Amino acid sequence: MSNSNQKIIVPIKGMHCKSCELLIEDNLKEVKGVDRAQLDYHRGEAEIYYSEERPSQEKIEEAIAKAGYSLGRDEVKGLLSHNKTDWQDLGIA
């Protein structure tokens, strides 16, 4: 029985629903050394638990990419655009 007492937190771009979490989780479970993965699309993060050897960062990235996502944070967009073209389009409308 493994004691998953060590954790890696990885930011993931593009998650927007529970299905996203499940796709990535299934792929992460296949990475050598990963005991379990817990994802949260609201925060855009994966918590990867391991007990023995730390899983390879490269293999973690590959598993996430295989599910169609990438490492990093989604860009937070404000309510008001700073793009001049957006304002011109609004004025024309």
Side-chain angles (χ1 to χ4, degrees), residues 8-19:
I8 304 168
I9 297 176
V10 180
I12 301 175
K13 287 184 187 179
M15 289 194 299
H16 61 274
C17 65
K18 193 70 174 165
S19 293

Side-chain angles (χ1 to χ4, degrees), residues 12-55:
I12 301 175
K13 287 184 187 179
M15 289 194 299
H16 61 274
C17 65
K18 193 70 174 165
S19 293
C20 299
E21 293 177 353
L22 296 173
L23 283 170
I24 299 168
E25 182 180 345
D26 287 345
N27 286 349
L28 287 172
K29 287 179 181 176
E30 296 176 7
V31 174
K32 182 180 177 185
V34 173
D35 292 335
R36 68 184 175 96
Q38 185 174 344
L39 284 91
D40 185 334
Y41 74 90
H42 294 291
R43 289 191 330 240
E45 290 181 348
E47 293 181 354
I48 302 168
Y49 295 88
Y50 65 99
S51 55
E52 307 262 333
E53 186 177 331
R54 182 184 174 101

Side-chain angles (χ1 to χ4, degrees), residues 72-84:
R73 299 258 178 227
D74 286 323
E75 183 181 325
V76 176
K77 296 183 180 181
L79 294 175
L80 298 176
S81 173
H82 296 288
N83 185 343
K84 183 179 176 183

